[in-house]
Each structure stands twice: as structure tokens, then as C-alpha cells.
Amino acid sequence: VLILPGLRDDQIVPHCSCTNACWASFLPPDAPITRLEHDQLLDRLFVFYSPWCLRVIPEFFLRDMFAYTHAHLGGQTSPPPTTTHYSPFLHLCILAVATAFSDDPEVSNINFRRRFVDAAKVLMEQECAHPSISAVQGLSMLGSYYSGLGEQTLGFVYFGAFCRTPKAVPHVVIVSSPTGMSARLSQARE
């Protein structure tokens, strides 16, 4: 659940102190934003950006973000679960794009936004070594970030990686169609 202005207390997830660190565990320490700012940025990205190209499905991202960041609520002490539609890499890539929608000039400043990209790039090799859909989505968001800045060459580099990575994702089948290539998920067959 995104915490947005006007949200009632009964709409907030119980047993979670989300106003603290769980939602911000992977954010760069030199790019401080509040929980309210974070959630408003995600909401604006989901409303104004995601429908344009549907790179990230908001419901799946938020569901998996909750599962990943709240694994400790069930007493789990092992590493967070692997989720299909959330990873810290994708979270950072989304925020790099979403910060452009901020009303705060400091947050929408390119130097502030670049901190999220730099933090994402630290995780990129690990994410792409065993890619999932979140890696594909994150690479696409990085391509959009750079293209939005007018750095077309870097945008094309990340879009190229975005186009190639699905071939390495388990359970993704590339299907040829008369209109071009399309990807769909398939169940594992042994």
C-alpha cells in the first residue's frame, strides 16, 4: 500500500513500521527522501508513465516489494525471497525515472536523480547474472532515464540490453508472430 495524502490509518499494513527503514533499505544514503515523497513518486510514475509503455505492472511491483521488504515479519531470518516483479535494482531504476515527477526541485534535480542510477548500476551485474523479469524491467527503465536526458546513445545501450535479456530469463519463451517477436511466460516443463 502506498502511503499517500488522505490515507486512513486502517489502510496501512499492520505490524509494519513502514515509516522507518523497510521501504528504504536499498535507497542510496546520499539521496534522502521521505516515505511520503517515495510513495508519491511511485504513484505519479504508475499514473503518468507506466500506462504509456506498461514496463512495470504497479500491482505486481507493489505486491512483490512488500513480500521482499517484509520477509522478516514472518520470523524469516534468511535472505529475502526471490520475487519476479521486484528487486532493489528495479526499485532504484524506477526511482531514477520517477524523481523527474517530483514537485521538489532538489529531488527532480539531475544530480539527485543520478544517485539512484549510480546505486542501481552497483547492483546491475548481480541482477543480470541471474536475470528475472525485474532485471528486464530495470534495464528498460535505465534506457528511458538516459533517453529522457537526451543521452540517446546510452539509452540505446540499455534498451539493447533490455531487448536481449529476456532470452536469458528462465521460463520466457520467444514466440514468432506475423507482426514480429513477442515474449510470453510459460510453465517449466521437465
Side-chain angles (χ1 to χ4, degrees), residues 83-120:
T83 56
T84 305
H85 295 274
Y86 177 84
S87 70
F89 170 71
L90 175 59
H91 193 171
L92 292 165
C93 294
I94 285 174
L95 286 173
V97 174
T99 47
F101 297 111
S102 178
D103 294 330
D104 183 344
E106 184 177 321
V107 173
S108 62
N109 179 290
I110 187 59
N111 292 323
F112 190 87
R113 295 177 65 205
R114 191 170 286 128
R115 295 172 190 165
F116 291 98
V117 171
D118 292 343

Side-chain angles (χ1 to χ4, degrees), residues 1-179:
V1 173
L2 295 176
I3 297 177
L4 299 171
L7 189 68
R8 298 184 320 266
D9 287 343
D10 65 333
Q11 293 174 306
I12 297 174
V13 178
H15 312 296
C16 173
S17 57
C18 285
T19 54
N20 293 328
C22 62
W23 62 274
S25 302
F26 308 100
L27 303 187
D30 61 342
I33 56 175
T34 65
R35 172 68 194 267
L36 181 61
E37 176 79 15
H38 171 270
D39 289 2
Q40 285 178 326
L41 291 172
L42 289 181
D43 184 58
R44 289 177 182 177
L45 181 111
F46 294 152
V47 169
F48 299 111
Y49 180 85
S50 289
W52 173 67
C53 54
L54 199 60
R55 291 190 189 131
V56 176
I57 301 169
E59 293 81 10
F60 293 172
F61 174 81
L62 294 172
R63 176 201 66 199
D64 286 0
M65 182 174 100
F66 181 83
Y68 190 95
T69 59
H70 293 85
H72 65 280
L73 291 180
Q76 182 176 340
T77 57
S78 59
T82 301
T83 56
T84 305
H85 295 274
Y86 177 84
S87 70
F89 170 71
L90 175 59
H91 193 171
L92 292 165
C93 294
I94 285 174
L95 286 173
V97 174
T99 47
F101 297 111
S102 178
D103 294 330
D104 183 344
E106 184 177 321
V107 173
S108 62
N109 179 290
I110 187 59
N111 292 323
F112 190 87
R113 295 177 65 205
R114 191 170 286 128
R115 295 172 190 165
F116 291 98
V117 171
D118 292 343
K121 287 181 180 179
V122 169
L123 301 175
M124 188 169 63
E125 282 188 23
Q126 176 186 350
E127 182 88 6
C128 292
H130 304 286
S132 68
I133 291 173
S134 62
V136 175
Q137 293 168 325
L139 291 167
S140 175
M141 296 299 284
L142 283 177
S144 292
Y145 168 82
Y146 283 110
S147 293
L149 295 178
E151 296 181 30
Q152 300 303 320
T153 303
L154 280 174
F156 288 137
V157 166
Y158 286 105
F159 278 127
F162 152 74
C163 291
R164 176 61 180 98
T165 303
K167 294 182 179 187
V169 177
H171 313 299
V172 172
V173 177
I174 306 297
V175 180
S176 216
S177 70
T179 58

